[in-house]
Amino acid sequence: MSNASASAEPAEQLTAEEKQLVRAPLVLNKRTMGWISNYISSIVEAKTPIWWYVAMAITAPLTVMCLAMLVYLIATGVGVWGNNHPVGWAWDITNFVFWIGIGHAGTLISAILFLTRQKWRTSINRAAEAMTLFAVVCAGIYPALHVGRVWMAWFLAPVPNANGIWQNFRSPLLWDVFAVSTYFTVSVLFWYTGLIPDLATLRDRCKTKIRKFIYGVLALGWRGGNRQWRHYEMAYLILAGLSTPLVLSVHSVVSFDFATSVVPGWHTTIFPPYFVAGAIFGGFAMVLTIMIPACAVYKPLHDLVTIDHVDKMCKIILLTGSIVGYAYLMELFIAWYGSNPYEQAAFWYRAFGPYWWAYWSMMFCNVIAPQFFWFKCLRTHLVWVWIIVQFPNAGMWFERFVIIATTLARDFMPSAWGMFHPTWVDILTFVGTFGLFGTLFLLFIRFLPMICMFEVKAVLPEADPHHGEAHH
Amino acid sequence: MKINFHHPAPEKTPRIWRSLRELENDPEFEKHLHTEFPRGADVYQDSGLSKRDFIKLMGASIALAGVGLTGCRRPESYLVPFTKGVEFTIPGKFLYYATSMPARFGAIPLVATTSDGRPTKLEGNPLHPFSNGGTDTFAQAETLNLYDPHRSKQITENGKPSSREAFDAYVASVAQSDGSNLAILTEPSSSPTRARLRAALQTKFPKLVWAEYDPLAPTAANAANEASFGSSVRLVPQFSRADVILAIDSDFLNPIETGIGYAQGFSARRNPEQKGASMNRLYAVENHYTVTGGMADHRLRCKISETGEFARQLGLALAAATNNAALAEVANAFPASQTSIDPAWIKECAADLAKNAGSSIVLAGPMTPAPVQVLVNAINNALGNIGSTLLPVKADLVPAASIEDLAAAIDKGNVKTLFLMGVNPVYNAPANLGFKELLSKVPDTVHLGFFEDETGTASRWHVPAAHFLESWGDCRTFDGTYTSVQPMILPLWNGVSEIEVLNILSGATAPEGPSLVRETFNAIAPQATAESWNAFLRDGFLPESAFQQIQPTFNAATASGLAKKGAPAKADALELVFLQSSSVDDGRYANNSWLLETPDFVTKVTWDNVLMVSPATAVRLGIKTNNFGLLGDVAEKMGNDVNYDLIGDIVELSDGKSTIEAAAIVAPGHADDSLSIALGYGRKGVSALMDGVGFDAYPLRSSNSMRFLDGVTIKVTDRNYPIAQTQEHRSMEGRDLVREGSLERYAKDNAFAQTMGMDSHIPPNISLYTHPELNAKDQWGMTVDLNTCTGCNACVVACQAENNVPVVGKDQVRKNRDMAWIRLDRYFAGDSSDPEMLSHAIMCQHCENAPCETVCPVNATVHSEDGLNLMAYNRCIGTRYCANNCPWKVRRFNYFDYNQRPIDELYWGPLAKKGMADSLKMSKNPNVTVRMRGVMEKCTFCIQRIEEAKISRLVEAGPTPASDTPIAPFKVACQQACPNDSIVFGNIADPKSQVSRMRKDPRGYVMFKYLNVSPRVTYLARIRNPNPKMPGADLVGMANGSGHHGDAHGEHADQGHVDSHSDHHTEPAAH
């Protein structure tokens, strides 16, 4: 449970012993329920700020560029990317796994921390979940469009067709289709369900008819009655229960794409836990990457997303980063211990082959860089945190690149070895997905409450029926 | 049986044919149309070629040659328009006809597959006595040549379109003249009909200058044979009788150099299990790695300029050993020079040859200078090989003037009319002749050629030549067997054959192909009857028609006279050796994209020729060995082959008068201080495909340096040139992919290959999946004998022709997107300056437990009950997962619409021109789907042939159960093309089948056994037969090391050098 000591609450009435027992508040500066509703709603209701237009002017063209690249891809062929014969998957699947990984933190925060009653989650879960969805949208582009004949991709769906051919349920790629689509569906439901009470709040505050209508429709007739709350909480709990295994399964299934193959460097049983840990690691880094600037723009949010939150997330990054580091070393150990020359060579080439730079970048970003979070001064300094979490962000991309492209570049037969070089289409498509991600996030900030108002209110001291009793 | 033949009426207007060129949608052509060749513009504008015209004119079929033809109305022409519904054809069923392809060493006997009147595939004629049923790459690519949309289609005069009538009238006017200023330049040919017409012409025009020129002709060999044994003597090797073979500057195992049939018997003697005869031993002396060098048990890197000295020293050693005075005389006549050749090599090689006197063969290459060849003849004579392993025959060579003689005659002004038939001297004549200027001195020139090439545009008349699949002809194979050439289709673009032109020139009125040949046949065949003529056409050859064997005596006096002219090697000089290109020959295939994209046997370079240089010489000359400077050197030290995406330094080569440029690459196993470059590239202005491909080496080649130029100066520029290689990595990295051992090791443990490397201690395999039962009666499998596979590429091009494999272009090859379904991997093992070379044919292994099948999400690749790994293109969505999971990396993905879009517009997407030239559509095998973009493809084991055979069985079985009827034997495309029968395909469920027997061979092994994928392809390990006394004999056959472990336990630090640490394991590991 929360044990942060960076509390700003004055506890002048308490004895020294009592002070130690008091939990640090989750909301600082004694913000009231009314302030929370007012402030968070005002972000959506106020006139669109200039910075939003500036940011949109950057991300929207990037989104358009991404779409243009995808149109070019579909119109011309997968050859516009740098993929080739040994390297059948390169940036496409790298970016897919990268984005899917990012899409882990949100649902993890929402579902697992909800089930484990981690109350500090309330102020960050909404944005983190939104980030999850947008990341999965970015991720979904790649497996859908990396195939040679996009117009035939419906063959992946288990629908009856004239040929009477069923899907191949032995293929991890098919598992992937189900895992990712299920994850996305449940995440959307989970997110939307959690939004309903806040949408109702917005609806109730609306001053124009159009807004009232839109938010009214989105709020699904929420009135805040007891029965509704009871249903809501049950639904939310069920969805959290559904999401929790999905968080763990989706990246495990993604890792099966590699783990079930025969390719040395892919064929390894450590992948599922290692991929999940890596995904949480990367996901939290991305949450911090986004939340820190958002709170910098909306300064009062620091009372809700406190330095304590940042500290906790940094600790999770440190933990998962270390798990990832352990996995890297274990891979090397098993390659050596397994005495399979193909495995040994695969790991040798990762570290010292033509893509050594990617491997060592990964090692530094994912294993070395998070170790700075052992120091509390770095965990609680927003600028440093923001800088340090960029390493996991980049490192997790390198990890996927190392696993996918560099393994394929040198596998069984030296005669068939070949290098992968990204093309401009590869690069612009990837940059474009950041534009898409940013655009969706900006729209989210602008039109939806980015912090779950009713849940934050629930963790205020006032929400506790026994609030203040101990002192009287 | 009455068959009513209707020969199509000759088309008066050439309109329809010419518009084909427009149909091909070639932007280059549009450009040509308006800039370079405006003369054709008005003619080409029109269109209107309907499908009906196509069927009427192009869908011409051949009547089954020889069946009841004598009673026909028009027996002279057997081509029937396909609109007539020819009686014996079944639409969609192939018909097969024997024919042959005229070639430098005689002919390649062929069986042509025709589909609805279109020849679509050429295969070796297994009936022919001087053929083992194989072909070479060029024969396989001839179907593409036939349908090449860039072929010339129009008779032109002074660059303006003309007509056949005008040309015939012109030739007739020449025929009327006295021929005093007439000259003909043509290629050497084995055709008796041409020889007959030539004789007739020379009788008619006594002053006719008949000159023959082919840049790669074995002129030197003929001269040496004449000096040694008298005129017109030819030595036909009998490799089945040879125990020891020494090849000096000779790539005799490569059919493109010596022709099909020449090396027959070699592979049978390569089998260590053969009863009654020991395995042969091959020594090779060469400057660059050839396929023969790769097969050799002992290989000596030697400058070509020093091969003479090598032969001299060998001759002296053998003269002493055999007490042969004639050899001593010839060897002593050859001028001595200083060389650095290891004397022990010569001594032991000579001892081995002397020990096997009478059962050995010493060979020199066709272009090796005559003084060296004459020495080789003397050596064979001293060893008693003449008459035992080298059969002397009396060939029908008629001396002709050389191109130098012709040049002298033109220079003197004696030639006013010059017929250039099938030759391109403006491009490929010796540079010292200055042929282009010479040609301008001749007022009337007539060029007969496939392309409006360099000579065509420089001539008054250009006449499209007929392809050998479009014309009647004949030829003799190397041993002299009289062989037929018959057309499979009417000339697509009104081409004319050489014998037709000669016939008109001799004064005959109409060109009658078949009757011209038949006349010759009547003279040659002992009893020429209609039946024997029909049999000649049906079987493709006249039995018992080989040249007569003779007993020549070696003439030491004339031989030593020729040997005296030998050039001593220049000390410290850099030599430049001119090679036959594996892709474009002397340049004649420069427009054949199949061949351009076929990787060179050794360098694996496609689309270009490159200057090959040894690693040591590259360092000495300052040619980059990697592209990454110091970092690259460090990476190389760490075991990384950093030459991926090879970029070659451009160098300038000069003989003092002319300078050429070429991109240099480092070639392991190349002789030091020697440079090699293939001829035939760097052509400009002929077609879009040829432009910008490779470097022209002809400007440095002159009459006295046809094989090599001694003393060339080199300047390394700071410019680079991108090179497209299909295989960048040279080393096997200590993996037991190609397995080889010495004969000695094989004698100790003939199953050594089955327990190499990891295979010696992998646990028994178990599978998580239960697979559908493989319960069909036929279970298809293949074996590849690595002991006889030379890596000659014939299978690669055969597969391309059979399976409609697309060409992707240089840029795509550089991106590793080549589409070949079968590839020949080449590994070097050992010291990089003098390594061993190993070749490895890799195609889909049709694993019973296929890793590609489990991962396909849509079931597009599945297994059949008869053990085939099937690929359903319709179902494939192109996830490429199967390719990633294939250990052999044999799956090929259509990254673009290679069949529909021009290769230079692949990136244009929908803006690129769409569609294939109509003539190219005709070249496709109708039984094989042409794949679209976005789908995966791979070797199918020629499933179309399997199904064809199964259908035939059903027909044969009739009402009886088909399973009781044995399937008729058939071959898959790669197997059929293989000149050494290295590939065997068949039913492994039948214990009597050849493939079953081969699979049981103790040399047999499957790759990646630990993966438990159960491949259906078994490789037979390679056995080398080193002479234990030779220097370096202990390293021969040691590419995998000698231990059972191979390098399974190799330390990481040794990755990349593992091939050279074979000597670490001197003892088999104790397991």
Side-chain angles (χ1 to χ4, degrees):
Chain A
M1 300 302 266
S2 172
N3 60 351
S5 50
S7 164
E9 186 188 359
E12 63 281 350
Q13 298 152 336
L14 304 177
T15 65
E17 289 77 26
E18 279 173 333
K19 275 183 196 169
Q20 287 181 356
L21 292 172
V22 171
R23 284 188 188 167
L26 292 165
V27 177
L28 304 183
N29 288 339
K30 299 198 167 166
R31 297 296 191 186
T32 62
M33 291 189 180
W35 180 86
I36 289 170
S37 291
N38 279 335
Y39 183 70
I40 294 173
S41 302
S42 73
I43 296 174
V44 178
E45 290 160 353
K47 191 165 164 281
T48 310
I50 299 294
W51 70 262
W52 192 91
Y53 285 114
V54 172
M56 204 61 175
I58 297 166
T59 60
L62 289 177
T63 308
V64 173
M65 179 182 78
C66 180
L67 296 177
M69 289 302 121
L70 296 175
V71 168
Y72 177 50
L73 171 83
I74 295 167
T76 309
V78 184
V80 299
W81 286 343
N83 302 39
N84 53 39
H85 277 145
V87 190
W89 290 345
W91 275 33
D92 43 0
I93 303 300
T94 300
N95 296 342
F96 160 64
V97 184
F98 170 74
W99 279 116
I100 274 285
I102 286 171
H104 269 68
T107 311
L108 177 98
I109 290 167
S110 301
I112 297 184
L113 298 188
F114 176 77
L115 292 181
T116 54
R117 301 287 186 260
Q118 296 291 309
K119 294 207 159 132
W120 59 277
R121 69 177 265 287
T122 53
S123 60
I124 53 170
N125 75 329
R126 171 75 45 75
E129 274 182 73
M131 189 197 76
T132 291
L133 296 177
F134 305 150
V136 175
V137 167
C138 292
I141 288 172
Y142 284 102
L145 301 187
H146 90 292
V147 298
R149 301 199 300 163
V150 178
W151 50 96
M152 292 298 182
W154 62 272
F155 284 170
L156 288 165
V159 291
N161 67 60
N163 303 324
I165 305 173
W166 204 238
Q167 283 64 42
N168 178 10
F169 290 100
R170 294 183 299 172
S171 171
L173 219 50
L174 197 71
W175 310 341
D176 235 18
V177 171
F178 293 125
V180 173
S181 54
T182 309
Y183 181 66
F184 183 73
T185 311
V186 172
S187 295
V188 168
L189 286 175
F190 194 40
W191 179 67
Y192 184 67
T193 308
L195 262 172
I196 288 171
D198 281 357
L199 288 168
T201 307
L202 286 179
R203 174 199 62 197
D204 296 346
R205 294 165 56 95
C206 282
K207 295 193 174 68
T208 65
K209 281 205 159 166
I210 296 170
R211 283 180 77 97
K212 197 161 194 104
F213 175 76
I214 294 170
Y215 285 114
V217 169
L218 291 175
L220 298 177
W222 180 265
R223 287 286 174 271
N226 267 353
R227 276 165 60 96
Q228 283 186 331
W229 275 112
R230 206 159 53 105
H231 289 154
Y232 165 82
E233 286 187 351
M234 188 51 68
Y236 199 74
L237 187 67
I238 290 169
L239 284 168
L242 280 175
S243 302
T244 301
L246 285 177
V247 172
L248 301 176
S249 74
V250 68
H251 226 54
S252 299
V253 171
V254 167
S255 79
F256 291 161
D257 284 347
F258 313 107
T260 62
S261 77
V262 300
V263 180
W266 281 10
H267 180 79
T268 145
T269 48
I270 202 175
F271 267 12
Y274 150 30
F275 266 54
V276 172
I280 295 165
F281 175 62
F284 271 83
M286 190 54 95
V287 171
L288 283 171
T289 306
I290 289 180
M291 290 301 281
I292 291 174
C295 294
V297 172
Y298 297 105
K299 287 220 160 53
L301 287 181
H302 281 303
D303 293 340
L304 304 179
V305 184
T306 64
I307 209 77
D308 192 32
H309 286 95
V310 175
D311 183 53
K312 286 195 177 78
M313 285 196 273
C314 287
K315 283 178 184 165
I316 290 180
I317 287 174
L318 177 59
L319 172 70
T320 49
S322 301
I323 294 174
V324 165
Y326 168 80
Y328 294 160
L329 297 179
M330 191 48 70
E331 272 188 322
L332 296 178
F333 170 75
I334 294 295
W336 168 77
Y337 187 68
S339 294
N340 180 331
Y342 297 98
E343 291 286 333
Q344 290 179 342
F347 286 94
W348 174 262
Y349 291 131
R350 276 190 190 171
F352 303 111
Y355 289 106
W356 57 271
W357 48 269
Y359 183 81
W360 294 110
S361 301
M362 168 190 95
M363 276 299 207
F364 178 77
C365 294
N366 293 352
V367 184
I368 311 292
Q371 303 305 319
F372 288 108
F373 286 149
W374 285 107
F375 303 102
K376 182 157 186 178
C377 55
L378 294 176
R379 286 204 306 271
T380 52
H381 190 287
L382 289 181
V383 176
W384 275 114
V385 167
W386 196 85
I387 291 169
I388 291 172
V389 296
Q390 298 316 307
F391 287 100
N393 279 337
M396 287 314 291
W397 186 88
F398 278 118
E399 180 196 295
R400 278 65 177 250
F401 179 76
V402 166
I403 290 172
I404 295 164
T406 78
T407 304
L408 289 173
R410 293 193 159 193
D411 61 2
F412 291 96
M413 301 195 73
S415 61
W417 288 357
M419 294 289 286
F420 164 80
H421 302 285
T423 63
W424 59 275
V425 185
D426 274 307
I427 296 166
L428 294 187
T429 311
F430 183 47
V431 172
T433 54
F434 281 98
L436 176 62
F437 182 77
T439 304
L440 291 171
F441 204 81
L442 287 170
L443 291 171
F444 163 72
I445 288 179
R446 191 69 205 97
F447 296 107
L448 292 172
M450 72 169 143
I451 286 178
C452 188
M453 293 183 270
F454 70 93
E455 284 200 9
V456 171
K457 286 181 212 163
V459 300
L460 287 177
E462 297 93 307
D464 183 357
H466 307 290
H467 173 61
E469 272 181 8
H471 308 296
H472 298 285
Chain B
M1 184 165 72
K2 274 252 184 201
I3 300 170
N4 204 356
F5 291 103
H6 294 274
H7 192 71
E11 195 68 23
K12 289 283 183 248
T13 58
R15 184 177 66 87
I16 288 157
W17 299 114
R18 242 173 276 113
S19 58
L20 263 183
R21 193 163 173 176
E22 191 182 69
L23 275 177
E24 73 187 65
N25 292 335
D26 180 357
E28 282 307 312
F29 169 67
E30 297 288 332
K31 206 170 78 190
H32 276 217
L33 199 66
H34 299 299
T35 56
E36 288 183 63
F37 302 102
R39 59 194 178 222
D42 54 336
V43 187
Y44 297 129
Q45 290 298 323
D46 62 7
S47 183
L49 179 82
S50 69
K51 196 172 179 182
R52 192 181 171 82
D53 293 326
F54 244 122
I55 295 168
K56 197 164 77 184
L57 287 154
M58 304 189 79
S61 156
I62 303 165
L64 199 61
V67 179
L69 290 176
T70 43
C72 296
R73 227 172 22 194
R74 300 189 60 173
E76 67 274 63
S77 295
Y78 306 141
L79 293 168
V80 183
F82 218 70
T83 44
K84 295 293 175 191
V86 189
E87 203 173 303
F88 46 81
T89 63
I90 302 163
K93 280 278 177 200
F94 292 148
L95 290 174
Y96 303 94
Y97 299 99
T99 182
S100 65
M101 168 180 158
R104 195 168 284 123
F105 260 58
I108 299 178
L110 296 174
V111 174
T113 304
T114 67
S115 159
D116 296 348
R118 303 170 287 120
T120 52
K121 183 76 172 61
L122 299 174
E123 270 149 13
N125 182 350
L127 299 177
H128 196 285
F130 196 73
S131 161
N132 38 21
T135 59
D136 64 4
T137 47
F138 296 150
Q140 289 298 334
E142 279 292 350
T143 46
L144 184 64
N145 259 22
L146 169 69
Y147 297 111
D148 187 345
H150 294 98
R151 274 177 67 184
S152 85
K153 303 171 180 91
Q154 169 71 52
I155 295 177
T156 58
E157 185 184 3
N158 294 323
K160 292 186 187 62
S162 183
S163 66
R164 179 71 190 270
E165 288 74 22
F167 175 68
D168 283 351
Y170 168 75
V171 179
S173 75
V174 177
Q176 296 300 316
S177 71
D178 65 348
S180 57
N181 293 316
L182 178 65
I184 293 176
L185 178 64
T186 180
E187 294 201 309
S189 162
S190 65
S191 165
T193 298
R194 200 188 80 172
R196 185 173 61 75
L197 291 168
R198 171 189 168 185
L201 270 182
Q202 281 181 319
T203 317
K204 185 175 175 201
F205 305 122
K207 287 185 180 169
L208 169 74
V209 179
W210 179 279
E212 290 179 358
Y213 176 67
D214 170 2
L216 302 174
T219 322
N222 294 341
N225 285 348
E226 181 160 354
S228 311
F229 304 112
S231 68
S232 210
V233 175
R234 180 181 283 177
L235 299 175
V236 182
Q238 305 291 314
F239 288 101
S240 56
R241 299 179 195 167
D243 295 321
V244 176
I245 299 147
L246 167 63
I248 302 171
D249 184 23
S250 162
D251 193 8
F252 73 95
L253 285 175
N254 191 347
I256 67 163
E257 180 171 299
T258 51
I260 283 296
Y262 187 86
Q264 63 183 324
F266 178 86
S267 61
R269 289 295 309 276
R270 207 61 198 159
N271 184 353
E273 286 288 287
Q274 206 198 14
K275 291 183 182 66
S278 59
M279 183 175 161
N280 62 17
R281 179 174 292 147
L282 173 60
Y283 297 88
V285 179
E286 59 189 17
N287 80 317
H288 70 289
Y289 244 121
T290 63
V291 300
T292 306
M295 289 295 288
D297 300 304
H298 294 282
R299 176 176 179 272
L300 179 68
R301 291 188 302 143
C302 181
K303 289 171 72 175
I304 296 301
S305 56
E306 292 182 355
T307 50
E309 177 61 19
F310 171 86
R312 193 185 74 87
Q313 290 187 25
L314 183 79
L316 289 174
L318 283 171
T322 58
N323 283 324
N324 187 297
L327 174 56
E329 186 187 341
V330 178
N332 280 317
F334 195 92
S337 53
Q338 288 291 318
T339 70
S340 54
I341 300 169
D342 183 0
W345 210 100
I346 300 178
K347 179 168 160 267
E348 296 302 338
C349 179
D352 203 12
L353 285 169
K355 203 169 82 190
N356 291 285
S359 64
S360 57
I361 295 181
V362 183
L363 289 165
M367 287 197 293
T368 305
V372 182
Q373 304 246 18
V374 89
L375 243 168
V376 167
N377 284 344
I379 290 171
N380 279 320
N381 182 58
L383 288 171
N385 294 339
I386 309 292
S388 63
T389 56
L390 289 162
L391 294 189
V393 295
K394 187 79 178 168
D396 57 356
L397 295 175
V398 184
S402 68
I403 193 166
E404 287 82 10
D405 300 336
L406 175 69
I410 296 175
D411 218 24
K412 281 191 212 127
N414 292 347
V415 178
K416 295 279 178 263
T417 307
L418 175 60
F419 279 70
L420 301 141
M421 301 212 277
V423 290
N424 188 7
V426 172
Y427 171 64
N428 63 23
N432 55 320
L433 302 181
F435 210 87
K436 193 168 185 183
E437 288 71 49
L438 278 181
L439 209 58
S440 61
K441 293 183 188 169
V442 184
D444 282 0
T445 47
V446 179
H447 176 247
L448 179 74
F450 276 114
F451 297 99
E452 215 163 357
D453 56 16
E454 296 86 343
T455 307
T457 45
S459 302
R460 179 185 158 188
W461 289 90
H462 166 75
V463 184
H467 192 267
F468 74 86
L469 292 171
E470 296 171 334
S471 54
W472 285 92
D474 54 4
C475 43
R476 284 185 185 276
T477 49
F478 187 68
D479 69 330
T481 302
Y482 187 46
T483 304
S484 72
V485 178
Q486 52 173 339
M488 301 292 128
I489 190 168
L490 281 176
L492 291 175
W493 291 292
N494 291 331
V496 188
S497 75
E498 184 185 359
I499 58 170
E500 285 172 340
V501 175
L502 290 176
N503 187 42
I504 315 171
L505 202 56
S506 66
T509 47
E512 291 292 354
S515 59
L516 285 173
V517 178
R518 185 142 189 202
E519 202 175 326
T520 318
F521 174 82
N522 291 343
I524 289 175
Q527 283 115 25
T529 60
E531 285 71 34
S532 66
W533 165 248
N534 290 341
F536 172 64
L537 295 182
R538 186 192 62 222
D539 299 340
F541 64 96
L542 179 67
E544 312 287 317
S545 56
F547 294 131
Q548 286 301 306
Q549 200 182 329
I550 51 166
Q551 297 282 335
T553 48
F554 185 76
N555 188 335
T558 50
S560 53
L562 183 56
K564 266 198 195 76
K565 293 181 192 156
K570 289 185 193 164
D572 301 329
L574 202 56
E575 65 171 20
L576 176 65
V577 182
F578 303 104
L579 309 178
Q580 178 188 21
S581 164
S582 59
S583 290
V584 304
D585 193 52
D586 59 358
R588 69 187 66 201
Y589 292 104
N591 208 49
N592 192 306
S593 53
W594 290 356
L595 289 169
L596 286 171
E597 201 159 295
T598 301
D600 180 80
F601 323 110
V602 181
T603 61
K604 296 293 161 191
V605 171
T606 62
W607 287 94
D608 284 300
N609 61 343
V610 284
L611 184 77
M612 290 189 275
V613 55
S614 77
T617 307
V619 171
R620 185 171 73 76
L621 298 175
I623 294 167
K624 276 201 302 279
T625 54
N626 70 61
N627 304 312
F628 295 88
L630 184 64
L631 205 59
D633 293 340
V634 174
E636 249 179 14
K637 289 239 155 50
M638 283 166 66
N640 285 306
D641 206 334
V642 289
N643 269 336
Y644 47 79
D645 268 17
L646 200 82
I647 298 170
D649 276 339
I650 292 185
V651 300
E652 286 173 359
L653 297 167
S654 172
D655 63 350
K657 293 191 286 287
S658 310
T659 304
I660 64 163
E661 278 188 354
I665 68 162
V666 175
H670 202 281
D672 294 335
D673 298 324
S674 180
L675 309 167
S676 303
I677 190 164
L679 296 165
Y681 284 87
R683 296 178 66 177
K684 289 187 177 61
V686 184
S687 87
L689 206 56
M690 295 185 204
D691 276 340
V693 172
F695 305 93
D696 185 6
Y698 280 112
L700 289 188
R701 198 177 189 230
S702 58
S703 299
N704 55 9
S705 62
M706 293 298 267
R707 179 58 174 164
F708 68 95
L709 175 64
D710 209 2
V712 71
T713 54
I714 184 167
K715 188 173 147 244
V716 183
T717 70
D718 51 7
R719 285 170 295 141
N720 290 324
Y721 187 83
I723 292 166
Q725 274 177 303
T726 55
Q727 181 185 348
E728 291 135 5
H729 211 81
R730 295 170 188 151
S731 158
M732 209 150 52
E733 297 297 351
R735 300 172 177 190
D736 301 295
L737 308 174
V738 186
R739 299 186 183 176
E740 72 160 10
S742 64
L743 193 57
E744 191 189 346
R745 182 172 177 187
Y746 178 76
K748 278 189 202 141
D749 173 15
N750 63 0
F752 73 92
Q754 292 172 7
T755 53
M756 261 188 179
M758 284 178 88
D759 291 0
S760 61
H761 47 91
I762 47 172
N765 279 314
I766 48 165
S767 181
L768 281 178
Y769 292 122
T770 45
H771 294 277
E773 265 184 68
L774 302 173
N775 51 9
K777 185 175 189 293
D778 309 304
Q779 294 295 328
W780 306 110
M782 185 181 269
T783 59
V784 180
D785 189 349
L786 299 175
N787 210 22
T788 54
C789 169
T790 63
C792 76
N793 277 340
C795 52
V796 176
V797 189
C799 178
Q800 184 154 26
E802 171 74 15
N803 291 303
N804 301 337
V805 175
V807 168
V808 299
K810 178 176 172 181
D811 174 57
Q812 293 292 299
V813 175
R814 273 176 64 74
K815 292 190 161 77
N816 293 323
R817 291 177 185 162
D818 48 300
M819 296 298 286
W821 283 8
I822 177 170
R823 61 172 202 260
L824 286 164
D825 291 349
R826 176 271 298 130
Y827 296 108
F828 291 111
D831 177 26
S832 74
S833 64
D834 195 7
E836 255 190 19
M837 188 171 86
L838 300 153
S839 142
H840 201 190
I842 299 289
M843 69 297 285
C844 174
Q845 310 277 310
H846 292 267
C847 309
E848 290 175 4
N849 192 2
C852 52
E853 289 171 14
T854 54
V855 299
C856 176
V858 293
N859 267 329
T861 183
V862 288
H863 227 71
S864 72
E865 311 81 72
D866 48 4
L868 297 177
N869 174 235
L870 306 174
M871 187 65 227
Y873 305 125
N874 285 349
R875 181 70 181 169
C876 178
I877 61 170
T879 67
R880 304 186 292 289
Y881 198 176
C882 52
N884 291 342
N885 211 24
C886 172
W888 286 269
K889 292 285 172 280
V890 288
R891 288 179 158 264
R892 289 285 175 264
F893 184 67
N894 285 276
Y895 278 98
F896 288 109
D897 218 346
Y898 294 118
N899 283 300
Q900 294 291 324
R901 310 282 186 183
I903 54 177
D904 53 347
E905 294 179 9
L906 293 173
Y907 287 87
W908 295 17
L911 303 177
K913 293 212 168 57
K914 187 157 189 187
M916 192 188 303
D918 280 352
S919 66
L920 290 180
K921 286 180 190 161
M922 296 175 69
S923 73
K924 299 289 179 200
N925 183 346
N927 286 354
V928 178
T929 312
V930 174
R931 281 78 58 184
M932 72 181 303
R933 85 163 157 98
V935 300
M936 191 61 72
E937 59 182 69
K938 59 152 195 100
C939 160
T940 63
F941 268 179
C942 287
I943 190 168
Q944 65 280 8
R945 295 190 178 202
I946 295 174
E947 293 304 312
E948 194 83 34
K950 281 158 82 175
I951 292 166
S952 307
R953 173 169 64 183
L954 282 177
V955 172
E956 199 186 323
T960 64
S963 55
D964 296 345
T965 309
I967 204 157
F970 67 97
K971 286 182 172 184
V972 291
C974 53
Q975 176 189 20
Q976 194 141 26
C978 182
N980 294 326
D981 298 328
S982 306
I983 299 175
V984 176
F985 176 84
N987 181 4
I988 60 170
D990 173 8
K992 291 196 288 290
S993 69
Q994 195 194 356
V995 71
S996 293
R997 280 182 280 121
M998 297 291 274
R999 273 165 71 95
K1000 290 195 200 89
D1001 191 298
R1003 288 188 287 132
Y1005 71 94
V1006 295
M1007 293 169 71
F1008 309 128
K1009 204 171 176 180
Y1010 89 94
L1011 292 175
N1012 191 26
V1013 294
S1014 305
R1016 276 285 172 91
V1017 178
T1018 303
Y1019 290 92
L1020 269 56
R1022 175 170 198 157
I1023 307 296
R1024 302 230 193 206
N1025 181 12
N1027 175 355
K1029 292 180 192 149
M1030 287 292 285
D1034 53 331
L1035 296 174
V1036 176
M1038 303 287 274
N1040 313 99
S1042 58
H1044 271 293
H1045 273 237
D1047 300 294
H1049 295 261
E1051 295 77 13
H1052 272 145
D1054 277 339
Q1055 291 289 346
H1057 299 291
V1058 272
D1059 43 359
S1060 60
H1061 80 201
S1062 51
D1063 43 352
H1064 292 183
H1065 296 276
T1066 46
E1067 295 277 316
H1071 259 264

